[in-house]
Amino acid sequence: MSLLMKNLFVKTFAAVLTVGTASAAEIDSRLEGAIRASAANVLTDPYTAVFTFDIVTELSEGLGGKICGTVNAKNAFGAYTGKQFFFAGYAKLNEDYVIIAFDVPGYSLEKAVASGKICM
């Protein structure tokens, strides 16, 4: 995705009202695959990652959305880290999903929800 497309999506993402949330059972397998691919750039052992998709917020007209949840994966010592909060922002282009932001910031999902800034 070009920088122009990303900037356009970020502006749209910020301006469009959310239309609802979905449970983990409703997440598209292609979206999950895109999130897992992005996680490979952040996690030490992405193949061991176990995700929960706790808060899925979709933008109007299905243009994109954001997901907050937890990921538990092995670290460099081969031990599981425990559930770590993650968030991902995505755009839907035709039938493909593009992850425009993915991070594991190092604090709990509960703290992120309580702050009201990331997972609303």
Side-chain angles (χ1 to χ4, degrees):
M1 177 186 286
S2 72
L3 182 59
L4 178 62
M5 293 276 298
K6 283 185 180 180
N7 287 338
L8 177 62
F9 178 76
V10 169
K11 289 177 183 176
T12 303
F13 186 83
V16 178
L17 297 174
T18 59
V19 296
T21 59
S23 69
E26 297 176 77
I27 190 170
D28 188 313
S29 62
R30 293 171 296 162
L31 176 56
E32 181 177 351
I35 290 170
R36 287 183 177 280
S38 289
N41 297 322
V42 177
L43 301 174
T44 302
D45 189 353
Y47 302 105
T48 62
V50 178
F51 286 90
T52 65
F53 303 103
D54 298 299
I55 302 171
V56 180
T57 306
E58 189 174 90
L59 297 176
S60 66
E61 300 179 24
L63 299 173
K66 63 183 176 180
I67 297 178
C68 294
T70 63
V71 59
N72 188 7
K74 289 185 178 181
N75 60 21
F77 298 106
Y80 278 93
T81 60
K83 291 183 176 182
Q84 303 286 316
F85 162 67
F86 83 89
F87 66 90
Y90 67 92
K92 186 172 183 185
L93 301 172
N94 299 318
E95 295 301 315
D96 295 324
Y97 291 95
V98 177
I99 305 303
I100 59 168
F102 180 89
D103 197 13
V104 181
Y107 48 85
S108 71
L109 176 63
E110 292 78 16
K111 181 177 178 181
V113 171
S115 76
K117 294 179 182 176
I118 299 173
C119 302
M120 296 179 277

